[in-house]
Amino acid sequence: MEETSAKNIAEIYKKQRTFFASQETKSIDFRLQQLKKLKKAVLQYEDKVNEALWEDLHKSKEEAFLTETSLLIEELNYHIKNLKSWAKPKKVGTPLQIKPSRSKIYFEPLGIGLIIAPWNYPFQLTLNPLIGAISAGCCAVLKPSPDTPNVAQVIEEMISEHFSSEYITVVQGGKDANQELFKFPFDIMFFTGSPTVGKIVMKAAAEYLSRVVLELGGKSPCIVNKDANLKIAGKRIAWGKIMNAGQTCIAPDYLLVHKEVKKDLLAEISKAFEEMLGENIANSNYYGRIVTPAAMNRLKKYLNGDIYYGGKIDLEEKYIEPTILNNIDPEDEIMQEEIFGPILPVMEFEELTEAISYVNGNEKPLALYYFGKDKTAKRMLQETSSGGACINDTLIHVANHKLPFGGVGNSGMGKYHGKESYLAFTHERGVVNSSTKLDIPLKYPPYKFFGLIKKIVG
């Protein structure tokens, strides 16, 4: 795959700035046409995308549909249905002291968006933010991950076939391409990836005071209390950990389980692994592979200690069996960084306060999962903070485009999905329209009616 040159990147930015200035992208009809065009393109390229995802990540067509294509189609349908109402100027009230005037919020596109995507859901996480850019009336530069080169190539082919490069285009490459892109004053930089790289993006955006949306990650906890339905919990935790071989920013990173039910829960999780993937998991068509040899070597170092289940690896095949590590201490290496793989470290607690204290003693996670009764679930939500959460399930909050998706603190800033995607690429412009038929003198010096103004405001 050829990396986009610095010269071409400069030309792309110049052309997109010119095209945005033409005002063409601001038309609601134009935006709807482009959303429908993108939907057609996604469906047209589904088979090619599936082949590329299999080559890059050993992702089955079923998993590809559930975690990539279907989310895009549902998001596109939602935007197509609601864009006109979202874009309509919104009337708001006007204080008495500035009447006779009318007040409205106008929604205008920010301009040129830079979307830097990760490799773990390379199709969905490149195009999902693009839907918001199109809805808002922006131009966009897409930067797929070089770690999934087959998907990156298909995205470039699809975008170039259906959209003009002055409107939407793809830039290929790694860190060097990123550094070239950061030289330009994009109106918004939308980045999905690690907190480490997120800080680099934020520094680049600060140079031009560009808006940033940072969708990052972290160690998302999964807490299972003694009153949980263990069979359901085991199956749903196992599912959340094996999707994309654990390479999911909202995967349950570690397990905090009540001491009384740990033995039974671990048995249920192990049983669920084999029910979904078979006894010979390496031969399953429904279990992915680790993205690169470097990622394999990083994960390999965790495979020591008290292995309750799994632990088999094949470096050449980039395969790691789903693995449960029992009796983990908070000081262990695996608890110091996001795992981003199919390894589940397990710690236990006796009182819920212990679990809450541990979660609060670390960076705010992108997701939090709690299994237990509603009363204790309510306490968990009240006394912790996370980007999103599920009660008695994992991952599924990401599939509801009516919910905002995003991190907090170290796990990110800004949010998207549904209307929030539209707003992410939009400037909300407050406008007051004053009448010329009547000019009330309250605001003018020498403030003869100052006492009246204080009464009105008070």
Side-chain angles (χ1 to χ4, degrees), residues 22 34 36 45 62 64 79 95 150 157 172-173 207 271 389 405 443:
S22 74
Q34 306 312 308
K36 292 173 183 176
Y45 272 79
E62 292 85 357
H79 281 249
N150 292 288
E157 182 183 337
Q172 302 283 16
E207 182 69 23
K271 179 182 174 183
F405 181 83
K443 63 186 177 185

Side-chain angles (χ1 to χ4, degrees), residues 219-228 230 233 237 252-262 265-266 269 324-330 335 344-362 365 368-372 380 384:
K219 297 187 75 64
S220 296
C222 181
I223 300 101
V224 179
N225 213 341
K226 61 182 177 180
D227 58 359
L230 298 183
I237 293 166
D253 187 273
Y254 63 93
L255 178 63
L256 276 168
V257 57
H258 196 283
K259 186 176 183 179
E260 291 182 16
V261 298
K262 184 178 79 166
L265 177 66
L266 297 190
I269 296 173
I324 299 173
L325 297 179
N326 200 5
N327 301 316
I328 293 294
D329 291 323
M335 296 306 297
L344 183 65
V346 180
M347 298 188 295
E348 61 185 46
F349 65 90
E350 292 189 47
E351 299 293 336
L352 189 59
T353 301
E354 299 172 45
I356 292 172
S357 296
Y358 183 80
V359 171
N360 289 339
N362 293 280
L368 181 146
Y369 305 114
Y370 180 78
F371 290 82
M380 179 61 64
T384 63

Side-chain angles (χ1 to χ4, degrees), residues 214-215 365-366 386-388 404-408 411-416:
L214 302 177
E215 297 297 337
L366 185 56
S386 64
F405 181 83
V408 57
S411 57
M413 63 176 64
K415 48 192 179 292
Y416 73 126

Side-chain angles (χ1 to χ4, degrees), residues 17 105 107 116 140 234 237 281 316 375 389 419 431 435 442:
R17 187 59 73 187
I105 299 171
F107 302 93
I116 302 176
I237 293 166
I281 294 175
E316 187 176 339
K375 184 177 180 180
K419 187 176 182 180
V431 177
S435 170
L442 296 180

Side-chain angles (χ1 to χ4, degrees), residues 396-412:
I396 62 170
H397 61 298
V398 75
N400 185 352
H401 45 252
K402 295 181 180 179
L403 289 175
F405 181 83
V408 57
N410 194 66
S411 57

